Amino acid sequence: MKIAMLARNPNLYSHRRLAEAAEARGHSLDILNTTRCTVHIASHKPEVYYDGEPCIGYDAVIPRIGASVTNYGLAILRQFEMRGCWPLNESVAIGRSRDKLRSMQIFAKHGLGLPLTAYANDPKKAEEIIRAVKGPPVVIKLLEGTQGIGVVLADSMSSAKSVIEAFRGANVNILVQEFIKEAGGTDIRALVIGGKVVAAMKRTGAADDFRSNLHRGGSAQLIKITPEERSTAVRAAKRMGLNVCGVDMLRSNHGPVIMEVNSSPGLEGIEAATGKDIAGQIIEFIEKSAKIGATKTKGAG
């Protein structure tokens, strides 16, 4: 099988592991820098070029699109899809998961556990949305933030209003969520592949940080999740339409609540914490699932 990976940094642990796992199972995998791909659009002949050469003969594509190039990366992925190349995660599903507000709306519609969340455009509504999520304290998040960047804990009405007004004054879109105090600075990352939770870890934030992201100095350890947590992770992946994702949850007094679904989950922390070959399981899933032209959305939407 010939596999393409859309990724900007071939040296990242996750990308190296996927390449190694593919090669160990007898496949060839090319890492294509997303920003060096171009699309040539012509009737009945969608083409993708890499450094001026046509990208042909690929059976599957693994999108590892960085948040800073989401729109461009999804355009490239759609072009692969329109050529009939099978994507590990489809462009529509990735776009859905990258929009925090849209994700929350979808989860709410289908009854999945969520922290109270509010959204408003007018900074004059700051106090209203703070009270709507039973704050302060509240967590304020950039809609486009990743890896804990753009996430602020405001513990008073005045500080929360100041942060909201500052973000909106800079024309930055934000969500305001209730602070789940009982989570104690920890969250759960459940790794879903093909509708099943294959690994889970508990992440604990650094001593002076309420965020538990490993990129921000947090630590991870193996954890046994509850049937409700497992079900929540599987349902979240299904509602996003993602074959592979990391579902981040908090343990609240009223059950698991979803914080985010990551369509390009890092593998280093969860492989280290669980001792499992997650990269190998992803390649195995591609072997079983990749079929030419089997993309559900055909790059639409």
Side-chain angles (χ1 to χ4, degrees):
M1 185 179 289
K2 187 178 180 183
I3 303 170
M5 184 193 299
L6 294 176
R8 295 178 71 188
N9 184 354
N11 297 316
L12 286 182
Y13 175 93
S14 301
H15 303 161
R16 287 190 286 105
R17 284 287 296 118
L18 287 165
E20 290 166 1
E23 290 164 10
R25 298 178 73 91
H27 309 296
S28 65
L29 186 149
D30 297 329
I31 299 179
L32 309 179
N33 185 321
T34 313
T35 59
R36 285 161 55 187
C37 294
T38 57
V39 299
H40 292 199
I41 301 171
S43 182
H44 304 297
K45 196 178 180 183
E47 299 284 1
V48 181
Y49 283 77
Y50 186 68
D51 285 347
E53 298 294 326
C55 295
I56 56 176
Y58 288 107
D59 302 294
V61 56
I62 301 174
R64 301 282 302 183
I65 299 167
S68 63
V69 294
T70 293
N71 290 336
Y72 190 79
L74 292 182
I76 301 300
L77 180 58
R78 281 194 297 270
Q79 199 81 344
F80 272 101
E81 291 171 348
M82 286 188 276
R83 287 188 53 80
C85 186
W86 184 88
L88 180 60
N89 282 325
E90 296 185 15
S91 58
V92 171
I94 296 171
R96 191 182 290 136
S97 69
R98 290 280 169 94
D99 185 332
K100 288 187 175 68
L101 178 59
R102 186 180 182 194
S103 299
M104 292 290 167
Q105 290 172 320
I106 291 170
F107 295 148
K109 175 183 176 181
H110 293 284
L112 285 112
L114 296 171
L116 291 173
T117 303
Y119 173 74
N121 184 65
D122 187 350
K124 294 178 182 177
K125 301 288 187 182
E127 187 165 337
E128 176 186 329
I129 60 176
I130 291 166
R131 296 198 185 283
V133 300
K134 298 183 179 179
V138 295
V139 176
I140 302 164
K141 294 181 176 180
L142 299 185
L143 284 186
E144 298 83 13
T146 61
Q147 298 178 351
I149 298 170
V151 180
V152 178
L153 174 63
D155 56 9
S156 70
M157 181 63 76
S158 60
S159 63
K161 288 173 67 176
S162 295
V163 172
I164 292 170
E165 290 166 0
F167 278 140
R168 290 304 303 137
N171 201 31
V172 174
N173 291 314
I174 56 170
L175 288 178
V176 179
Q177 293 184 322
E178 70 172 314
F179 176 55
I180 308 296
K181 183 179 180 180
E182 59 268 27
T186 68
D187 72 3
I188 295 168
R189 161 65 63 89
L191 203 292
V192 179
I193 301 176
K196 296 180 180 179
V197 174
V198 299
M201 63 179 174
K202 181 173 75 171
R203 303 184 300 186
T204 303
D208 58 348
D209 198 336
F210 78 100
R211 298 166 296 182
S212 55
N213 304 74
L214 301 186
H215 288 86
R216 313 216 66 79
S219 59
Q221 65 186 81
L222 180 67
I223 188 175
K224 182 176 176 61
I225 60 175
T226 68
E228 186 180 8
E229 290 163 348
R230 187 175 298 273
S231 173
T232 296
V234 169
R235 290 166 62 205
K238 180 180 179 180
R239 293 306 175 189
M240 287 293 97
L242 294 167
N243 291 317
V244 173
C245 62
V247 181
D248 298 337
M249 299 174 284
L250 296 178
R251 285 178 165 170
S252 77
N253 290 333
H254 47 87
V257 294
I258 301 168
M259 300 304 292
E260 189 174 0
V261 176
N262 190 323
S263 60
S264 298
L267 304 184
E268 186 170 10
I270 201 156
E271 285 195 338
T274 65
K276 293 185 176 181
D277 177 14
I278 304 301
Q281 292 189 50
I282 291 173
I283 299 301
E284 183 179 2
F285 175 76
I286 293 173
E287 291 172 346
K288 294 177 179 177
S289 307
K291 295 177 182 176
I292 298 298
T295 306
K296 295 176 183 177
T297 54
K298 300 293 189 295

